[in-house]
Structures are given as structure tokens and as C-alpha cells.
Amino acid sequence: MDGKAIAVLATAFAGGLVAMQAPINSGLGKTIGSLPAASFSFAIGLVALVGITLVSGEGFGRLGDVGGLSWYYLIGGLLGAVYVTTVLISVRTLGAGGVTAATIAGQLTMSVVIDQLGILGLAQRQLTAGRVLGVALLAVGVYLVVET
């Protein structure tokens, strides 16, 4: 199996875990409150990542280099917090399928815009009819998953 196939399989597996994240966090939120649940979820993730980082041998030696980055490279955790908080609330209305469908549609739409603009360190990729059709079909898919 080549590297691209392994990357696709690993990402699909992680995507499956993301589908589980919303209902799990929602259940936690029903017990302790939505914002405390999001905070608790991130705290558990932080502990896990610190442990993995220490075991990996990479350590935190270059953490001081973040000062030289543009501000937008530092808001990934904030974007994750917005996502986790939003979906742990919206999954109660949309269900896991609706949340996942809307998430994927939002991700693809923003990704196509990022590619078209060539921003955030990525090479520019032209907007094609196929890409527009793909986004439109995902919008239809979200409608079908949420409304039927």
C-alpha cells in the first residue's frame, strides 16, 4: 500500500472518530453543561497530546518559535473550540449524520475557497466546474441527510 492510500485510510478513520465526537460531547454537555463539556473535552485532549509529545521524543524545545509566526497560525485551537462547542449543541437537533454532513460541506466549501485564493501557505488551485459541482452536491447531501 502506498503512502497516499495509507493517508486516506488514516484520515477516513479519524473522520469516523469525529462523527463519534459530537454525540459523546453532547452527552457530557447534558450532564455538566455545554461550555464545561467543551472545556473538559479539550483538557482531556491536551493531556493526551502532551503525553504523546513527550513519548515521541520531539519534546517542546521549539515552542518559542511560535512568536515568529503570523497570528492566524496560532488560532487552530480556537477554531477547534468553536467547532466542538457548536457540534455538541447542534447534534441534539441535527443528529450525528446531520452534524457530520454539515461539517464536511463546510470543510469542503472553505477548502475550495482557500485553494482558490492560495492562502495559509497553500499553493493556489483554480476553481473548476467540477469543484463547484462537488460543493453543490454536498449541499444537496446535507439537505437530504437533515430533512429526510
PDB file of all heavy atoms in Angstrom, residues 22 26 83 85-95 99:
ATOM      1  N   ALA A  22     -19.195  14.350  18.429  1.00  0.00           N
ATOM      2  CA  ALA A  22     -20.339  15.216  18.726  1.00  0.00           C
ATOM      3  C   ALA A  22     -21.317  14.571  19.701  1.00  0.00           C
ATOM      4  O   ALA A  22     -21.671  15.183  20.715  1.00  0.00           O
ATOM      5  CB  ALA A  22     -21.034  15.639  17.437  1.00  0.00           C
ATOM      6  N   SER A  26     -21.924  15.808  23.454  1.00  0.00           N
ATOM      7  CA  SER A  26     -23.282  16.237  23.774  1.00  0.00           C
ATOM      8  C   SER A  26     -23.782  15.559  25.039  1.00  0.00           C
ATOM      9  O   SER A  26     -24.402  16.199  25.898  1.00  0.00           O
ATOM     10  CB  SER A  26     -24.224  15.929  22.610  1.00  0.00           C
ATOM     11  OG  SER A  26     -25.539  16.323  22.920  1.00  0.00           O
ATOM     12  N   TYR A  83     -15.688  24.722  16.870  1.00  0.00           N
ATOM     13  CA  TYR A  83     -16.304  23.537  16.274  1.00  0.00           C
ATOM     14  C   TYR A  83     -16.875  22.606  17.340  1.00  0.00           C
ATOM     15  O   TYR A  83     -18.045  22.207  17.264  1.00  0.00           O
ATOM     16  CB  TYR A  83     -15.294  22.787  15.390  1.00  0.00           C
ATOM     17  CG  TYR A  83     -15.848  21.477  14.897  1.00  0.00           C
ATOM     18  CD1 TYR A  83     -16.797  21.450  13.894  1.00  0.00           C
ATOM     19  CD2 TYR A  83     -15.448  20.269  15.466  1.00  0.00           C
ATOM     20  CE1 TYR A  83     -17.339  20.252  13.455  1.00  0.00           C
ATOM     21  CE2 TYR A  83     -15.980  19.072  15.035  1.00  0.00           C
ATOM     22  CZ  TYR A  83     -16.929  19.064  14.034  1.00  0.00           C
ATOM     23  OH  TYR A  83     -17.468  17.883  13.614  1.00  0.00           O
ATOM     24  N   THR A  85     -17.698  23.083  20.459  1.00  0.00           N
ATOM     25  CA  THR A  85     -18.818  23.667  21.195  1.00  0.00           C
ATOM     26  C   THR A  85     -20.080  23.707  20.337  1.00  0.00           C
ATOM     27  O   THR A  85     -21.172  23.365  20.798  1.00  0.00           O
ATOM     28  CB  THR A  85     -18.459  25.079  21.688  1.00  0.00           C
ATOM     29  OG1 THR A  85     -17.257  25.006  22.466  1.00  0.00           O
ATOM     30  CG2 THR A  85     -19.571  25.664  22.526  1.00  0.00           C
ATOM     31  N   THR A  86     -19.923  24.094  19.071  1.00  0.00           N
ATOM     32  CA  THR A  86     -21.076  24.164  18.177  1.00  0.00           C
ATOM     33  C   THR A  86     -21.705  22.798  17.959  1.00  0.00           C
ATOM     34  O   THR A  86     -22.929  22.639  18.077  1.00  0.00           O
ATOM     35  CB  THR A  86     -20.672  24.772  16.813  1.00  0.00           C
ATOM     36  OG1 THR A  86     -20.154  26.085  17.028  1.00  0.00           O
ATOM     37  CG2 THR A  86     -21.850  24.840  15.864  1.00  0.00           C
ATOM     38  N   VAL A  87     -20.891  21.799  17.661  1.00  0.00           N
ATOM     39  CA  VAL A  87     -21.478  20.497  17.342  1.00  0.00           C
ATOM     40  C   VAL A  87     -22.011  19.772  18.561  1.00  0.00           C
ATOM     41  O   VAL A  87     -22.969  19.013  18.446  1.00  0.00           O
ATOM     42  CB  VAL A  87     -20.527  19.591  16.531  1.00  0.00           C
ATOM     43  CG1 VAL A  87     -20.135  20.243  15.235  1.00  0.00           C
ATOM     44  CG2 VAL A  87     -19.315  19.169  17.321  1.00  0.00           C
ATOM     45  N   LEU A  88     -21.456  20.024  19.733  1.00  0.00           N
ATOM     46  CA  LEU A  88     -22.010  19.332  20.897  1.00  0.00           C
ATOM     47  C   LEU A  88     -23.394  19.860  21.239  1.00  0.00           C
ATOM     48  O   LEU A  88     -24.200  19.174  21.851  1.00  0.00           O
ATOM     49  CB  LEU A  88     -21.060  19.348  22.092  1.00  0.00           C
ATOM     50  CG  LEU A  88     -20.918  20.546  23.009  1.00  0.00           C
ATOM     51  CD1 LEU A  88     -22.014  20.588  24.059  1.00  0.00           C
ATOM     52  CD2 LEU A  88     -19.584  20.455  23.714  1.00  0.00           C
ATOM     53  N   ILE A  89     -23.708  21.070  20.760  1.00  0.00           N
ATOM     54  CA  ILE A  89     -25.054  21.618  20.922  1.00  0.00           C
ATOM     55  C   ILE A  89     -25.933  21.233  19.726  1.00  0.00           C
ATOM     56  O   ILE A  89     -27.053  20.759  19.890  1.00  0.00           O
ATOM     57  CB  ILE A  89     -24.995  23.151  21.094  1.00  0.00           C
ATOM     58  CG1 ILE A  89     -24.258  23.495  22.399  1.00  0.00           C
ATOM     59  CG2 ILE A  89     -26.395  23.762  21.076  1.00  0.00           C
ATOM     60  CD1 ILE A  89     -23.873  24.952  22.540  1.00  0.00           C
ATOM     61  N   SER A  90     -25.426  21.393  18.501  1.00  0.00           N
ATOM     62  CA  SER A  90     -26.258  21.170  17.313  1.00  0.00           C
ATOM     63  C   SER A  90     -26.567  19.703  17.056  1.00  0.00           C
ATOM     64  O   SER A  90     -27.556  19.391  16.392  1.00  0.00           O
ATOM     65  CB  SER A  90     -25.616  21.806  16.080  1.00  0.00           C
ATOM     66  OG  SER A  90     -24.393  21.180  15.769  1.00  0.00           O
ATOM     67  N   VAL A  91     -25.780  18.778  17.594  1.00  0.00           N
ATOM     68  CA  VAL A  91     -26.058  17.350  17.381  1.00  0.00           C
ATOM     69  C   VAL A  91     -27.397  16.956  17.999  1.00  0.00           C
ATOM     70  O   VAL A  91     -28.057  16.024  17.541  1.00  0.00           O
ATOM     71  CB  VAL A  91     -24.900  16.462  17.899  1.00  0.00           C
ATOM     72  CG1 VAL A  91     -24.870  16.431  19.427  1.00  0.00           C
ATOM     73  CG2 VAL A  91     -24.991  15.052  17.329  1.00  0.00           C
ATOM     74  N   ARG A  92     -27.832  17.684  18.999  1.00  0.00           N
ATOM     75  CA  ARG A  92     -29.125  17.392  19.624  1.00  0.00           C
ATOM     76  C   ARG A  92     -30.274  17.662  18.661  1.00  0.00           C
ATOM     77  O   ARG A  92     -31.326  17.040  18.756  1.00  0.00           O
ATOM     78  CB  ARG A  92     -29.291  18.230  20.890  1.00  0.00           C
ATOM     79  CG  ARG A  92     -28.236  17.928  21.937  1.00  0.00           C
ATOM     80  CD  ARG A  92     -28.267  18.899  23.099  1.00  0.00           C
ATOM     81  NE  ARG A  92     -27.049  18.762  23.883  1.00  0.00           N
ATOM     82  CZ  ARG A  92     -26.593  19.660  24.704  1.00  0.00           C
ATOM     83  NH1 ARG A  92     -27.250  20.798  24.888  1.00  0.00           N
ATOM     84  NH2 ARG A  92     -25.484  19.469  25.391  1.00  0.00           N
ATOM     85  N   THR A  93     -30.086  18.588  17.736  1.00  0.00           N
ATOM     86  CA  THR A  93     -31.107  18.935  16.747  1.00  0.00           C
ATOM     87  C   THR A  93     -30.902  18.191  15.435  1.00  0.00           C
ATOM     88  O   THR A  93     -31.860  17.695  14.847  1.00  0.00           O
ATOM     89  CB  THR A  93     -31.076  20.455  16.469  1.00  0.00           C
ATOM     90  OG1 THR A  93     -31.261  21.148  17.697  1.00  0.00           O
ATOM     91  CG2 THR A  93     -32.144  20.860  15.480  1.00  0.00           C
ATOM     92  N   LEU A  94     -29.662  18.114  14.977  1.00  0.00           N
ATOM     93  CA  LEU A  94     -29.366  17.556  13.655  1.00  0.00           C
ATOM     94  C   LEU A  94     -29.070  16.064  13.658  1.00  0.00           C
ATOM     95  O   LEU A  94     -29.145  15.423  12.611  1.00  0.00           O
ATOM     96  CB  LEU A  94     -28.168  18.289  13.035  1.00  0.00           C
ATOM     97  CG  LEU A  94     -28.300  19.789  12.836  1.00  0.00           C
ATOM     98  CD1 LEU A  94     -26.994  20.359  12.291  1.00  0.00           C
ATOM     99  CD2 LEU A  94     -29.461  20.099  11.906  1.00  0.00           C
ATOM    100  N   GLY A  95     -28.698  15.510  14.813  1.00  0.00           N
ATOM    101  CA  GLY A  95     -28.233  14.132  14.861  1.00  0.00           C
ATOM    102  C   GLY A  95     -26.793  14.042  14.372  1.00  0.00           C
ATOM    103  O   GLY A  95     -26.250  14.990  13.798  1.00  0.00           O
ATOM    104  N   VAL A  99     -24.908  16.574  11.618  1.00  0.00           N
ATOM    105  CA  VAL A  99     -23.721  17.332  12.023  1.00  0.00           C
ATOM    106  C   VAL A  99     -22.529  16.974  11.142  1.00  0.00           C
ATOM    107  O   VAL A  99     -21.796  17.853  10.679  1.00  0.00           O
ATOM    108  CB  VAL A  99     -23.393  17.088  13.517  1.00  0.00           C
ATOM    109  CG1 VAL A  99     -21.977  17.508  13.851  1.00  0.00           C
ATOM    110  CG2 VAL A  99     -24.373  17.823  14.398  1.00  0.00           C
TER     111      VAL A  99
END
